[in-house]
Amino acid sequence: MSFGICEQSLIPVRKDANHRSEMVTQLLFGETYKVLETNDNWVNIRISNDNYEGWIDSKQHSTLSDQEFKHLSTHPYFVSTYLVQVINSITKNTIFPVLLGSNIYEKQNTPYFLNQQEYSFGGELTPSNTTTNKSTIIENALMYHHTPYLWGGKSPFGIDCSGFVQMTYYLSGIKLLRDASQQATQGETINMISEATAADLCFFDNEEGEITHVGIMLPDHKIIHASGCVRIDSIDHQGIYNTESQSYTHNLRLIKRLI
């Protein structure tokens, strides 16, 4: 098996090996992955952080040696907490943007080598193994407020409901699975909305009983979630209530606690 790393600001990961195929997730700078299959134009990958699979354009694939993949898998790293910041590619004498939640493998302003390229990053960072609390999770969630909804998105320029939850917790040092239905298998079940507290995850189902949406509880019976954009709405035992449309938009199915 071979390996790779995202050396661009953002790489779309598609369901099938076709540019017209839906985007199911994204890679942010510094994320590593295993290569499952290749052809002339596409690479089938499994992302290290959440084991999510999909296809990337072979022109965006950067091969990583077995030795460096193992090193990065155990090496402490940092997560960018800027919405957008530039990273300096010392080797190529150029700069390019990296986004909130990108992986940086050395402390602020400290040059480091990644896949034989030397980089330096001057933005704010948090250790990936940081200890967190509910207040930090809420602060991180609010950084995405008003981000437009994008199916498969993971960035402050476009994000979906489960990507929003995953990235909020990732910034807080907690790794979650990618899809809402997968995230619903994690954590401790909370039986009643009255017992829910800030930072708990609320899951919502469709008419077939399938979990299709997720959001993060806020104080005062509010929830922050990605629906059209990352927004704040009211929530009760029935579900999410949109005061603009004066209607319930999502039916509450399950509440989980991770912290």
Side-chain angles (χ1 to χ4, degrees):
M1 180 175 289
S2 58
F3 306 94
I5 189 167
C6 177
E7 293 185 309
Q8 301 181 30
S9 306
L10 196 68
I11 295 177
V13 181
R14 303 193 179 277
K15 182 178 180 179
D16 299 308
N18 188 311
H19 281 295
R20 294 184 177 181
S21 177
E22 67 176 290
M23 184 176 70
V24 291
T25 192
Q26 294 172 321
L27 288 168
L28 297 175
F29 178 80
E31 283 196 90
T32 63
Y33 52 86
K34 296 179 181 179
V35 175
L36 305 177
E37 180 184 352
T38 63
N39 59 40
D40 291 339
N41 300 309
W42 293 90
V43 180
N44 188 208
I45 68 169
R46 179 183 297 135
I47 301 172
S48 301
N49 281 333
D50 56 17
N51 289 323
Y52 210 73
E53 297 181 9
W55 293 83
I56 64 172
D57 189 320
S58 60
K59 295 186 293 295
Q60 297 175 317
H61 166 60
S62 295
T63 300
L64 199 62
S65 69
D66 293 15
Q67 182 179 1
E68 186 159 14
F69 177 82
K70 292 176 181 177
H71 170 69
L72 294 179
S73 298
T74 57
H75 187 276
Y77 61 93
F78 300 85
V79 179
S80 173
T81 54
Y82 265 28
L83 287 173
V84 184
Q85 177 62 288
V86 296
I87 191 168
N88 179 18
S89 174
I90 299 171
T91 303
K92 297 181 179 180
N93 192 29
T94 186
I95 61 174
F96 61 92
V98 294
L99 307 178
L100 181 64
S102 297
N103 290 357
I104 306 296
Y105 291 91
E106 193 48 84
K107 296 178 181 179
Q108 187 180 38
N109 295 316
T110 303
Y112 70 98
F113 281 90
L114 183 66
N115 204 22
Q116 300 181 340
Q117 304 290 325
E118 188 176 12
Y119 295 96
S120 179
F121 183 75
E124 292 185 5
L125 299 168
T126 186
S128 61
N129 59 355
T130 186
T131 56
T132 193
N133 54 50
K134 293 176 180 289
S135 296
T136 300
I137 292 173
I138 298 307
E139 290 173 5
N140 289 332
L142 291 172
M143 293 183 70
Y144 290 95
H145 197 197
H146 301 302
T147 296
Y149 182 90
L150 176 65
W151 180 270
K154 282 174 48 177
S155 89
F157 294 105
I159 204 161
D160 63 20
C161 67
S162 56
F164 162 64
V165 168
Q166 185 187 50
M167 292 307 301
T168 293
Y169 269 76
Y170 189 67
L171 289 169
S172 308
I174 300 173
K175 291 184 180 181
L176 296 182
L177 298 175
R178 180 59 177 88
D179 290 342
S181 59
Q182 297 173 326
Q183 293 168 359
T185 66
Q186 300 178 266
E188 170 194 358
T189 300
I190 304 301
N191 294 320
M192 300 177 62
I193 189 70
S194 60
E195 299 174 352
T197 59
D200 287 347
L201 301 185
C202 295
F203 296 90
F204 306 85
D205 60 10
N206 59 17
E207 294 179 353
E208 288 74 38
E210 301 169 328
I211 291 175
T212 57
H213 193 65
V214 61
I216 300 173
M217 281 290 296
L218 298 177
D220 302 322
H221 309 289
K222 300 291 185 181
I223 187 170
I224 184 167
H225 64 124
S227 180
C229 67
V230 177
R231 54 180 292 131
I232 297 174
D233 286 308
S234 299
I235 185 172
D236 60 23
H237 67 280
Q238 183 172 333
I240 296 176
Y241 185 79
N242 185 315
T243 55
E244 297 169 4
S245 65
Q246 296 188 342
S247 63
Y248 284 94
T249 58
H250 299 83
N251 297 314
L252 181 62
R253 166 72 177 275
L254 184 66
I255 305 169
K256 285 297 191 81
R257 180 168 296 162
L258 278 298
I259 180 174

